[in-house]
Amino acid sequence: MNTVTIKNICDFLKSRNIEYQLLNDLPTTIMGFCPLNNLKDHSITWVRSNRKLSIEELNSYTDVLLFAEPGTDVENALFPVIFVEEVQRIFFRVTEWFFGELNPEKKVEGIEPTAIVKTSSIGSGVYVGHHSYISEQAAIGNHVSIMHNVTIDGKIEIGDNCFIESGTVIGACGFGYMTSEEGNREIVPHYAGVRIGKNVRIGANCTIIRGCLADTVIEDDVKIADLVCISHNDIVKKGAMITCGTVIAGSTTVGEGVWMAPGAVVSNGVEIGDDAYIGIGSVVPARIRKGKKVFGNPAKYI
């Protein structure tokens, strides 16, 4: 494991033109990182200004370095503190620079021997994990990480710098039925595919359904957590954040920058305006206007 000093960290911040203020420039040797609720010696951690700190507890550890937002109360601190704006982002930039080899998501280019990759349309720097399947119709961009037991089946396009966590299925047929001449339930043909933009992250055990007559679309910079279902013909626009357990029925449009809290359910054909906020466990049966917050079952404006 790397050994890092405060000077190393300050030099890194200066090289990125990140403004900071150092309190208690003490000889400190950092060998790793930790959260505030599980402190360790020789570690770096971070805190927002609105969180109460136990200075006495931090003082009891050896060589702890704290990243903090300006305004954080650190009176009587016997350890070094680096004050920065955007503390979460800067903290993780530092940990990734000095300890990035510990990140389990940093996969090198390659296809694991148990994976089945039929497509010839695959970019550079791609990783495909064990027991994953990619059909011949799929097109995979550059620097895409596809973890283990992932199925990508049908006319699927995946842009550059995407990450797909284990167990996810992209291109499955959706739950769309019609009545046959004999009066039986018969699945509607799903002729289309799925188009995924750049810098998209899809969590574990998600299902992205292929379109019926038009593609299901996930635009650039969308982030999707675990156990999410996105149905046929949905359009999820740029930068939307969809958290765990969300279910989005078919032909729905999710606007740019939307936040969908855990367990949200959206009815089919609904339009959610840009920058809307859907509260935890909400059921959305109708259109949500741009920038509005809703909560409840049925979801109501708050």
Side-chain angles (χ1 to χ4, degrees), residues 12-296:
F12 171 80
L13 297 176
K14 291 174 184 175
S15 71
R16 299 300 191 274
N17 297 315
I18 297 170
E19 294 185 3
Y20 68 93
Q21 185 177 18
L22 175 62
L23 174 70
N24 298 335
D25 187 5
L26 303 170
T28 304
T29 301
I30 304 299
M31 301 179 67
F33 44 82
C34 65
L36 271 178
N37 61 359
N38 187 18
L39 292 168
K40 299 176 182 178
D41 294 335
H42 304 289
S43 294
I44 180 176
T45 189
W46 72 283
V47 66
R48 289 192 173 98
S49 60
N50 61 357
R51 181 168 177 179
K52 187 175 176 63
L53 280 174
S54 174
I55 299 298
E56 294 78 9
E57 182 182 10
L58 282 159
N59 283 339
S60 70
Y61 284 84
T62 301
D63 285 4
V64 169
L65 170 61
L66 178 70
F67 267 72
E69 280 185 327
T72 303
D73 184 4
V74 292
E75 187 178 358
N76 301 320
L78 302 179
F79 49 87
V81 181
I82 294 179
F83 294 102
V84 289
E85 301 286 352
E86 302 291 339
V87 64
Q88 181 187 37
R89 176 171 58 83
I90 301 305
F91 171 81
F92 283 105
R93 289 284 186 260
V94 169
T95 57
E96 189 68 8
W97 179 260
F98 290 105
F99 305 106
E101 75 278 1
L102 301 178
N103 187 347
E105 293 183 357
K106 279 203 161 185
K107 297 294 183 182
V108 296
E109 178 181 4
I111 298 173
E112 299 290 2
T114 57
I116 298 174
V117 178
K118 292 190 172 182
T119 183
S120 59
S121 181
I122 190 164
S124 62
V126 171
Y127 173 81
V128 182
H130 287 289
H131 304 289
S132 288
Y133 171 84
I134 303 175
S135 71
E136 59 188 4
Q137 294 175 294
I140 311 298
N142 300 312
H143 305 291
V144 174
S145 291
I146 298 166
M147 302 306 286
H148 315 296
N149 299 296
V150 173
T151 298
I152 298 173
D153 194 9
K155 293 177 283 187
I156 314 298
E157 298 178 17
I158 299 176
D160 297 344
N161 303 310
C162 290
F163 185 96
I164 302 168
E165 190 54 274
S166 298
T168 283
V169 176
I170 301 174
C173 198
F175 193 77
Y177 286 83
M178 60 186 178
T179 303
S180 71
E181 291 80 358
E182 295 78 22
N184 300 318
R185 291 292 188 183
E186 183 178 295
I187 195 162
V188 173
H190 286 60
Y191 297 115
V194 178
R195 287 185 286 121
I196 297 174
K198 298 178 181 179
N199 307 312
V200 173
R201 181 186 175 92
I202 301 174
N205 298 312
C206 293
T207 304
I208 314 295
I209 302 298
R210 69 177 182 261
C212 289
L213 301 179
D215 291 343
T216 300
V217 177
I218 299 173
E219 294 185 353
D220 296 349
D221 300 309
V222 170
K223 310 303 179 189
I224 300 170
D226 303 338
L227 298 167
V228 169
C229 179
I230 295 176
S231 300
H232 47 224
N233 314 325
D234 285 345
I235 299 174
V236 182
K237 293 189 175 181
K238 184 175 180 179
M241 304 285 284
I242 302 175
T243 62
C244 292
T246 296
V247 177
I248 304 175
S251 302
T252 290
T253 298
V254 177
E256 292 188 9
V258 166
W259 174 274
M260 302 188 72
V265 177
V266 183
S267 184
N268 60 298
V270 168
E271 180 183 350
I272 299 175
D274 295 348
D275 300 314
Y277 180 99
I278 312 300
I280 190 168
S282 296
V283 176
V284 181
R287 176 176 174 266
I288 304 299
R289 299 195 301 274
K290 179 179 179 179
K292 295 295 185 179
K293 294 183 178 181
V294 298
F295 180 79

